[in-house]
Amino acid sequence: MLTHLAIRNFAVASQSDLEFGAGLTVISGETGAGKSLLVDALGFLSGQRADSGIVRHGAERAELHAEFALDDAAPALRWLREHELDDGETCQLRRTLRADGGSRAWINGRPATITQLGELAGHLVEIHGQHEHQALLARGSQLALLDAQAGNGPLLADVRATAQAWRALHDERDALVGIGDVAERRDWLRHQLDELEGESLAADAVADLFASHRRHANAAGLIQTCDTALERMRGDDDLGLPQALQTLRHDLARMRAHEPRLGDVDAMLDAAAIQLDEATLLLGQVRDDLDIDPEQLETLEQRLGRLHELARKHRVTPEELIDVQTRLAGELDQLDGAGERLKQLDGEIEAAMGRWRTAADRLGAARRKAAKALSGATTALIHELGMGGGVFEVVIEPVEATRPDPQGAERVEFMVSANAGQPPRPLRKVASGGELSRISLAIEVAALGHDAVPTMVFDEVDSGIGGAVADIVGRKLRALGESRQVLCVTHLPQVASKGHTHYRVHKSSAEGATESRVSLLDTGERTEELARMLGGVDVSKEARAAARKLLQGMV
């Protein structure tokens, strides 16, 4: 439900902050005052294409901000969570339109694309009136409304699940068929695996091979380094480390009586002497293991060469060859049963198609029953709304199903004849905006309580009507407001009097600039506004009395 709408430098409005509640909110005003300003603002917040001309003259940008409560908008909350844009139980939409034509959008304070804005707004608000804003003109929305009105959720879920199951089996079959000649592929895989299995590809084996090659390739240098080090570490002359260390300890011992901490130094040097002995022993072992062996080096280089050749062939590093081996072995195992699996898949795909047809038939039967009920109820309502002789039909068209469709085996088209004697035409081709709005109202009332969108906006729904029909339109809007939040722009007092809340749009001029302002009316102000709508500029006592009577009729 829309709770707050802020407008800055939008068209002729410099600043407006509006609060909204449940029920029916009506918006009135003199001709040209900008009654549709709020509808246009919601349209832009719903992702409508921006035009720099909408920015108030002299301003750098227009800014629109709306806040929605999500306690009655589960699909919107689910969308926000899926896109990681959720922020508790409320949602804020913001959009700026620059005078140079640029536009930016935010959802809950985070940058968003216009497409995302439109997707989310589609779960929050539905605007009826102008063709480009009319959600019910889309055949997908018509089908969704019919399913919602009929409570077809479980049946539709079953159709989608069976269609997805068929798709998964079909994709598996395509993947196997796409391999081509299974025998040829198997032979190729076996050859590749034989090459790889001829080498030790485990991570530690590859690491040991590289280390062994480096050791043999540098054997001469290693031997010389070890011999020199051993000579220093074992030497008995003054250049030997053991002798040097012993001399150092002796010199320090002579002065230890004068500085007790030299004893700690001596203990450390004693430990160092032990470590030196162990290091000498290990270095000797290393030296003993070293040998210049050209044949062994050649063998290692041949093994490395094979690894690098295989790595280039498979476009990986030598360390990644083990992963290639595992993948090829898995594919070979799969191919070993491919022929049998293909035979099984043919049967499973046929069975899955049968399950989908059964589910689709159940859904189709439910849709046909709901279509008949919705057609009759909506036709009766459009008669009440001043289109006597008009007909509304929900036409269900079968779809040739070569493969399971998640939406079922039929499509829906809302057909309308606004006048007696005229053949029904698709709702999306109805020319009159006023008729379109009233038909939309009739559909929504007929499907009352089943539309998932919590906020509905009707722009000039009362265009071209008056008298008793206007009163009926107002009552239908108020009835719709019992289960949904409804905003209605109107010029008829009979409709305006039915609102739970009433806003008035009026123009004012200051310093040569015209500005539209929006005011929330109290009871006395509502009486004056209804009287103006009834009697024109000069409000008479009779007009005020009639206005009070209209309001009293809704108490």
Side-chain angles (χ1 to χ4, degrees):
M1 181 179 73
L2 177 67
T3 59
H4 179 79
L5 178 64
I7 299 172
R8 302 287 185 275
N9 296 319
F10 184 69
V12 292
S14 62
Q15 179 172 329
S16 293
D17 287 275
L18 309 173
E19 302 293 333
F20 296 93
L24 170 62
T25 296
V26 295
I27 303 160
S28 66
E30 298 177 359
T31 301
K35 295 190 296 295
S36 295
L37 190 70
L38 306 185
V39 178
D40 293 338
L42 288 173
F44 281 110
L45 282 169
S46 298
Q48 178 186 342
R49 184 176 178 180
D51 183 347
S52 60
I54 205 67
V55 180
R56 180 175 170 79
H57 179 69
E60 293 183 359
R61 68 177 182 272
E63 184 169 340
L64 307 170
H65 179 275
E67 184 169 336
F68 293 84
L70 300 178
D71 52 350
D72 57 354
L77 185 57
R78 184 165 53 251
W79 186 96
L80 286 165
R81 288 171 177 166
E82 289 174 354
H83 291 77
E84 298 182 351
L85 291 169
D86 54 311
D87 188 17
E89 298 300 317
T90 62
C91 172
Q92 295 181 355
L93 306 183
R94 178 175 171 239
R95 188 176 181 187
T96 59
L97 311 171
R98 295 197 306 272
D100 62 7
S103 174
R104 295 182 65 190
W106 294 264
I107 296 175
N108 284 332
R110 281 161 277 186
T113 66
I114 299 301
T115 299
Q116 288 177 317
L117 197 67
E119 289 177 359
L120 175 57
H123 296 300
L124 295 170
V125 61
E126 193 172 88
I127 301 177
H128 298 264
Q130 302 301 318
H131 285 263
E132 61 269 28
H133 297 170
Q134 180 56 274
L136 284 178
L137 296 180
R139 298 187 66 179
S141 296
Q142 295 172 1
L143 183 62
L145 186 142
L146 180 67
D147 283 333
Q149 194 266 346
N152 287 340
L155 293 176
L156 183 58
D158 193 19
V159 168
R160 288 173 175 165
T162 54
Q164 290 170 356
W166 182 93
R167 167 56 65 186
L169 292 169
H170 197 272
D171 288 346
E172 183 182 352
R173 188 182 187 282
D174 285 347
L176 289 177
V177 171
I179 294 173
D181 189 329
V182 173
E184 182 180 340
R185 178 70 175 177
R186 186 188 297 112
D187 291 343
W188 182 86
L189 287 171
R190 184 70 268 167
H191 175 70
Q192 303 300 314
L193 279 172
D194 286 344
E195 286 185 335
L196 294 171
E197 289 172 350
E199 304 296 332
S200 298
L201 301 179
D204 54 350
V206 173
D208 287 346
L209 176 60
F210 276 101
S212 181
H213 178 264
R214 286 193 300 270
R215 186 167 57 251
H216 281 78
N218 294 279
L222 286 170
I223 290 173
Q224 181 178 353
T225 300
C226 289
D227 286 342
T228 301
L230 284 171
E231 184 179 345
R232 295 289 303 278
M233 295 169 71
R234 293 172 175 171
D236 296 328
D237 56 15
D238 292 340
L239 295 177
L241 288 178
Q243 183 60 36
L245 187 59
Q246 187 62 31
T247 300
L248 176 59
R249 293 184 65 194
H250 178 73
D251 291 342
L252 291 174
R254 289 188 290 110
M255 304 302 293
R256 187 166 57 189
H258 308 297
E259 174 52 72
R261 287 179 294 177
L262 291 178
D264 296 333
V265 174
D266 183 67
M268 295 177 185
L269 292 176
D270 184 49
I274 296 173
Q275 291 290 322
L276 178 61
D277 290 341
E278 294 180 356
T280 302
L281 179 62
L282 178 58
L283 184 59
Q285 294 173 352
V286 171
R287 172 60 185 87
D288 293 341
D289 291 339
L290 291 173
D291 190 15
I292 298 177
D293 188 346
E295 292 183 1
Q296 178 66 14
L297 178 60
E298 183 179 357
T299 300
L300 292 172
E301 288 181 340
Q302 289 175 351
R303 289 183 59 193
L304 274 180
R306 288 196 296 272
L307 282 187
H308 284 295
E309 182 180 353
L310 288 171
R312 285 193 299 271
K313 180 177 181 179
H314 293 282
R315 297 181 180 180
V316 296
T317 64
E319 292 81 2
E320 294 171 328
L321 284 171
I322 185 64
D323 297 328
V324 175
Q325 180 181 349
T326 301
R327 176 175 57 79
L328 294 179
E331 185 178 349
L332 183 60
D333 289 342
Q334 184 181 15
L335 286 182
D336 286 340
E340 185 63 30
R341 180 56 182 156
L342 277 173
K343 294 178 182 178
Q344 293 175 352
L345 281 171
D346 288 338
E348 291 179 14
I349 289 172
E350 184 178 354
M353 173 63 88
R355 288 191 293 272
W356 175 83
R357 290 191 183 278
T358 299
D361 287 344
R362 287 197 296 264
L363 176 60
R367 282 172 170 170
R368 288 188 290 273
K369 181 179 179 181
K372 183 178 180 179
L374 184 59
S375 297
T378 304
T379 296
L381 283 166
I382 63 175
H383 290 173
E384 291 185 55
L385 296 178
M387 289 179 284
V391 176
F392 177 84
E393 295 180 6
V394 180
V395 176
I396 294 183
E397 303 170 349
V399 176
E400 187 65 30
T402 57
R403 57 181 54 204
D405 189 324
Q407 294 297 319
E410 53 276 318
R411 291 295 178 267
V412 165
E413 180 82 76
F414 286 0
M415 307 285 287
V416 171
S417 171
N419 301 294
Q422 293 183 348
R425 298 172 57 215
L427 180 63
R428 53 193 163 86
K429 295 183 179 180
V430 173
S432 167
E435 288 179 347
L436 181 60
S437 295
R438 276 179 279 158
I439 292 169
S440 299
L441 172 61
I443 295 170
E444 293 294 349
V445 173
L448 192 62
H450 298 289
D451 199 314
V453 179
T455 299
M456 297 179 182
V457 182
F458 292 91
D459 187 14
E460 300 288 355
V461 70
D462 47 20
S463 176
I465 64 173
V469 174
D471 186 71
I472 293 172
V473 169
R475 292 184 183 277
K476 296 300 182 185
L477 285 168
R478 188 176 177 95
L480 189 60
E482 296 300 325
S483 63
R484 292 289 184 272
Q485 182 187 45
V486 179
L487 278 64
C488 177
V489 176
T490 181
H491 67 279
L492 292 180
Q494 295 94 328
V495 174
S497 64
K498 306 303 186 293
H500 298 93
T501 307
H502 191 156
Y503 278 102
R504 176 174 178 261
V505 182
H506 58 95
K507 280 186 176 181
S508 62
S509 298
E511 299 179 357
T514 301
E515 181 177 344
S516 286
R517 296 185 178 275
V518 186
S519 304
L520 177 63
L521 305 182
D522 59 24
T523 302
E525 291 168 334
R526 285 192 75 180
T527 301
E528 286 298 308
E529 174 63 4
L530 292 176
R532 181 199 63 78
M533 298 171 74
L534 285 164
V537 177
D538 297 323
V539 179
S540 65
K541 292 181 180 179
E542 291 76 11
R544 289 190 177 93
R548 285 192 290 270
K549 185 176 180 180
L550 283 173
L551 288 174
Q552 289 170 359
M554 298 312 302
V555 175

